[in-house]
Amino acid sequence: MNRLEVLSKEEIEKIHRDSLNILEETGVKILDEDTLKMLSRSGVDVDFNNNLARFPESLVKEALRSCPKSFIALNRDKENGVKIGGDSIYIVSGFYASYVLKGGKRMRGTVEDVANFAKIADCLKNINAVGVEVLPQDVPAHVSELYACYAMLDNTTKHLFFSPNTQFSAKGLVEIIKTFTGEEDLLKTQIVTFQSSPTSPLTWERDSLGVLIESSKAGISCNILPEPLAGATSPITLAAVLLVHNAEFLSGLVISHLVRKGVPVIYGYSPTIFDMREVSPIIASPETIALRIAHAQIGRFYGLPVHCIAPDSDAHCHDEQLAWEKIITFFAALNSGVNILINSGMFSTGLVASYEQLVIDDEIIGFLLRVIKGIEVTTETLAVDLIRKVGPRGHFLNQMHTLRHLRTEYWFPELSNRATYDNWLRKSGKDIVTKAREKASKYLKEHKAPELSQENKRKIQEIIKKFEKMKS
């Protein structure tokens, strides 16, 4: 299908030029002295008294030239490499919800929930990688992500995504991954991806910098995810949101480049507006859909791997609002050229996840992947000779052509109803949420990912205990 677009080439180039001007003239606040010193040594104009760095255009362009246009994401066992970039599509579960919806009630996430979500995601054919679906809150906060990492490694073989909250957590995760893989340099062993976010407008906090730096030093691909909030931490106009976002991203790209040249960096975005009436952030409005499309265009302008959140919803329960917001946010990002889409299983503006929603989202993803596949027009698919052979008033049910294309031409749902009303009642009469809940329970009961070796379990547990005793 033709890609969705909302910006012209001239508008994209103007956003790029204005971003360079903001970086060079206004600058970015860097709240870490060591990073400021590194920037100063590399030709950045640094005002140490005000923690301000002004990035020269030449350095930004150098970082853009040197950044890989794609990278290979590997699974837990360093196999099944998938190219991330270009026209590839990579769907990730999660990401970092606070609550799990169970029996109609929001409950704080646990390590067991992290393990369960990973196990369900391991079964879902449209989920390519696994993020921390819910941050566990039944373990000490400073090591919660390390416990999550262990639970995920032990319950899925898929590529993993983390957004470390602190540099301390990032160091712990890097040590676990290095120990698990047996690799000191992770540049060519991309079994995980990290994420780091500046603080809008135009600020890098110490911990976010620490995550970006630890990721770059280790050679781990990093999704740089500015999160300007329209009308609050950026001007309210959508063009200005894109400008603030882009300037912040480019500053992070330069920092990663200076720490270690050639580490993959992803052009990330979490489009959000601020609803002044409800005093709340919103991620599934018409405006955020337009922002998703524009963001993908800018990322493709740079030729970088592009990330965006989707499928998303601001609804708090499994209702019609959730369904339409999930579908349209995912379709907008998917059909605008985003490579990495993350947030499957979540709703309530990213605060809540549920087992059944992860299963439902997998179905939505399969549906929309078939839509963008489009229609193949060839001699074989037009079947002119077959139409002539069968002729008027014939049928095609018994033709080999029908059998040959049945499973490749059409998408077949696993949850959605296609039966007549009477047949639906006869089969079960269950709604889709009930069916998804039962399917998730079946996965949890029956599925077992290839288990970690006892040696790996022991080593990871030792690292977690070591960091648990340390102070962040």
Side-chain angles (χ1 to χ4, degrees), residues 79-104:
E79 299 171 345
N80 300 330
V82 176
K83 177 184 174 182
I84 308 297
D87 293 324
S88 67
I89 297 169
Y90 207 59
I91 313 299
V92 189
S93 65
F95 201 51
Y96 281 68
S98 298
Y99 304 98
V100 180
L101 190 69
K102 296 179 179 178

Side-chain angles (χ1 to χ4, degrees), residues 96 142-143 145-150 153 160-187 189-195 207 209-222 259-260 263 456 459-460 463-464 466-467:
Y96 281 68
H142 67 290
V143 288
E145 289 164 300
L146 308 192
Y147 276 98
C149 182
Y150 180 31
L153 283 170
L160 303 182
F161 267 69
F162 297 96
S163 181
N165 288 315
T166 64
Q167 185 172 11
F168 179 84
S169 290
K171 287 182 176 180
L173 289 168
V174 168
E175 185 169 337
I176 288 175
I177 300 306
K178 285 184 175 181
T179 300
F180 176 75
T181 59
E183 307 276 357
E184 184 58 31
D185 186 356
L186 299 173
L187 185 59
T189 311
Q190 300 285 341
I191 73 164
V192 302
T193 295
F194 278 11
Q195 179 174 290
D207 269 321
L209 281 167
V211 172
L212 179 59
I213 289 168
E214 293 299 327
S215 176
S216 300
K217 286 194 301 186
I220 295 173
S221 55
C222 189
V259 172
R260 184 173 180 182
V263 175
N456 268 326
K459 288 179 180 179
I460 295 172
I463 293 170
I464 293 173
K466 179 180 75 173
F467 275 80

